[in-house]
Amino acid sequence: MKFVLLKSHGGNYLVVAQNVAWLRAHENDQTKVGMIGSDAILVAGSIEQTAATILAG
């Protein structure tokens, strides 16, 4: 199980990389991250930056 740190304006998240289902661009250079078995979370950074962070793991 690989954890990835995703930064947010309201606090940071440690998520399991394998549980990320989808990414969607949001306003103010933020990205919504869909999680398997949970609600989506809103993180700081563009969709490209977020994808790179998850893939780099």
Side-chain angles (χ1 to χ4, degrees):
M1 195 170 12
K2 185 189 290 187
F3 285 92
V4 178
L5 177 66
L6 297 177
K7 298 188 177 192
S8 173
H9 295 298
N12 298 332
Y13 295 97
L14 270 177
V15 301
V16 177
Q18 293 89 342
N19 286 353
V20 174
W22 50 266
L23 301 175
R24 179 177 291 165
H26 199 66
E27 59 190 17
N28 299 326
D29 197 35
Q30 296 180 354
T31 301
K32 276 196 172 183
V33 180
M35 305 297 297
I36 296 172
S38 183
D39 291 333
I41 59 175
L42 187 61
V43 299
S46 69
I47 195 169
E48 292 85 5
Q49 292 169 330
T50 304
T53 300
I54 293 168
L55 291 175

